[in-house]
Amino acid sequence: MDVEDEQSGRLLREFESLRPTYEEFSKSVSLLLGKLLRKPLQIHSINCRVKDPGSLSGKLRRPNKKYDQLDQITDLAGVRITTYFAEDVELVARVIESEFQIDTQNSVDKREVLDPDRFGYQSLHYVCSLNGDRVNLGEYKDFTGIKVEIQVRSILQHAWAEIEHDLGYKAGSVVPKPIKRRFARVAGLLELADDEFARIRRELSEYAESVSEVIKGAPANVGIDKISLRSVFETSPSAVKRLSETIASLIDASLLPLDDRQIDEFVASLILLGVDTVAKLEQAIACRAHIVGEFAEKWLDGTDHLYVPHEIGLLYLCYVLLGEMKDTKKAIKFIEINHFLDGANLVHRIFNTYDSIVDKGRND
């Protein structure tokens, strides 16, 4: 056995003995990052790993690198953070830089070193260790001096890297010329997609901030969507909110917080029933508030609920609209949208309840 093989064998044995510590370290860093990033933004995933002995053996045998000590190898423990948006990579970077001791010599922003004629995406790579304040805590004391490689990239960058790896063409120089051009085209499309998703998010945020004022001034110009419907509920005073409060009071129940999934379903339901603007929703409630209340009272008679959905007023408004239309196909579609069970009987009950209230009104 030559000197290099002996050195490699020694480092591999040392790594095997320390591997449980590296595994615990990578898990601890992953959990810590999850806590640190919970408030600034929503992360797609945080994964941790420890270098495979076979991969380490291959690294030790590379002719262009010589390692005398195990701590010279900076990627034995690894954490990968995948963001939804490329622009969030910078936010994650700021958190890492403020919370960890960065090994600047071994850290690299591969997005900046990517050659213009190369294809593909690269990650932001940090090599770092726990800072002095944190390593003094009891839960981290065993990790003094250990380094971890933290990779940060967007979900589209991650998709590119995974597909590129699966195809076996990580290096641009080994790709046949005709295929290399196609790689470059796909890379450009993904980069545009990353930018467009970020722009869409910013525009949605701006729309959410301004929609309540637009609703006040020109509700006919505001379509029913998830943001506008939530804004209608949150605007005070709100006819939609008052309708829900009235129905809840009939059975002495409290309203639950707004539910995003139910908001989605009621957007689809209202549009199905022809209520596709905020103005039409306000008009529908204004014209039917009394009959919706009567419908809900009859429907809920004898039931006992401590809590009801915040959107309950919309539910009974939709029931009344369905009763007016007597459109069985739309009623079935409504039931499918809202994932209700026993569709045929529910349609029959909606129509009968509505008719009984209308007939009572005529007799009165």
Side-chain angles (χ1 to χ4, degrees), residues 243 247 250 284-285 288-297 312-313 315-318 320-321 357:
L243 188 61
I247 293 171
L250 294 173
I285 294 173
R288 299 172 179 84
H290 181 68
I291 192 171
V292 170
E294 287 189 27
F295 188 105
E297 188 172 17
I312 194 168
L315 174 65
Y316 288 103
L317 173 64
C318 288
V320 167
L321 291 172
I357 292 169

Side-chain angles (χ1 to χ4, degrees), residues 8-67:
S8 296
R10 178 181 65 80
L11 293 176
L12 282 168
R13 289 191 297 273
E14 184 181 351
F15 174 64
E16 282 296 335
S17 68
L18 292 173
R19 189 172 182 180
T21 301
Y22 278 101
E23 288 176 343
E24 188 63 30
F25 180 50
S26 64
K27 290 176 184 176
S28 295
V29 172
S30 176
L31 290 171
L32 175 60
L33 285 165
K35 293 176 183 177
L36 293 172
L37 295 170
R38 188 174 297 150
K39 288 186 178 180
L41 69 162
Q42 188 176 9
I43 295 295
H44 175 264
S45 62
I46 301 177
N47 299 306
C48 61
R49 59 103 183 123
V50 172
K51 202 167 192 68
D52 181 81
S55 177
L56 176 58
S57 177
K59 185 167 188 168
L60 292 171
R61 295 179 185 279
R62 291 176 188 170
N64 60 331
K65 281 283 188 179
K66 300 297 178 186
Y67 300 98

Side-chain angles (χ1 to χ4, degrees), residues 315-334:
L315 174 65
Y316 288 103
L317 173 64
C318 288
Y319 280 176
V320 167
L321 291 172
L322 287 169
E324 288 179 7
M325 294 177 182
K326 291 292 189 299
D327 188 326
T328 303
K329 288 184 178 180
K330 282 192 176 181
I332 292 172
K333 182 63 178 176
F334 169 82

Side-chain angles (χ1 to χ4, degrees), residues 88-305:
D88 288 343
V89 170
E90 300 301 332
L91 298 176
V92 174
R94 288 201 288 270
V95 171
I96 294 172
E97 290 172 4
S98 66
E99 297 290 341
F100 290 84
Q101 187 70 39
I102 307 299
D103 178 351
T104 55
Q105 185 176 353
N106 290 300
S107 300
V108 60
D109 187 345
K110 292 192 174 182
R111 300 167 302 170
E112 293 183 357
V113 301
L114 194 66
D115 292 334
D117 62 345
R118 283 287 308 278
F119 60 86
Y121 276 82
Q122 299 289 351
S123 307
L124 174 60
H125 288 224
Y126 281 107
V127 173
C128 50
S129 54
L130 297 173
N131 61 30
D133 292 337
R134 188 163 278 117
V135 83
N136 289 330
L137 299 174
E139 61 186 304
Y140 298 118
K141 63 182 177 62
D142 293 336
F143 307 135
T144 304
I146 301 181
K147 294 182 178 180
V148 59
E149 181 185 70
I150 303 177
Q151 298 181 9
V152 191
R153 60 193 183 197
S154 76
I155 193 169
L156 288 182
Q157 292 168 344
H158 178 67
W160 170 272
E162 291 294 296
I163 294 171
E164 184 184 47
H165 181 271
D166 184 65
L167 291 173
Y169 287 108
K170 193 169 183 179
S173 59
V174 302
V175 180
K177 269 192 171 182
I179 304 299
K180 185 175 181 179
R181 177 173 174 79
R182 293 171 69 182
F183 264 112
R185 288 166 60 194
V186 174
L189 289 172
L190 287 175
E191 186 173 0
L192 285 172
D194 249 341
D195 290 343
E196 281 302 307
F197 279 131
R199 189 174 291 111
I200 288 169
R201 181 174 65 168
R202 287 193 295 271
E203 289 178 2
L204 284 172
S205 178
E206 292 167 1
Y207 174 65
E209 291 176 1
S210 64
V211 70
S212 61
E213 291 302 316
V214 178
I215 288 172
K216 290 177 185 177
N221 296 333
V222 181
I224 291 292
D225 55 52
K226 184 174 184 176
I227 295 174
S228 64
L229 189 56
R230 176 175 279 276
S231 180
V232 166
F233 271 104
E234 294 172 346
T235 300
S236 183
S238 165
V240 174
K241 188 175 181 179
R242 285 199 303 270
L243 188 61
S244 288
E245 289 170 344
T246 299
I247 293 171
S249 68
L250 294 173
I251 53 174
D252 197 25
S254 299
L255 292 174
L256 292 167
L258 289 169
D259 183 303
D260 277 346
R261 183 185 61 82
Q262 290 197 338
I263 289 287
D264 288 342
E265 290 168 357
F266 279 116
V267 168
S269 298
L270 289 169
I271 292 173
L272 171 72
L273 301 177
V275 183
D276 55 1
T277 69
V278 172
K280 289 182 180 179
L281 176 60
E282 292 174 346
Q283 184 179 13
I285 294 173
C287 295
R288 299 172 179 84
H290 181 68
I291 192 171
V292 170
E294 287 189 27
F295 188 105
E297 188 172 17
K298 187 175 183 65
W299 191 279
L300 294 169
D301 185 37
T303 63
D304 185 23
H305 300 276

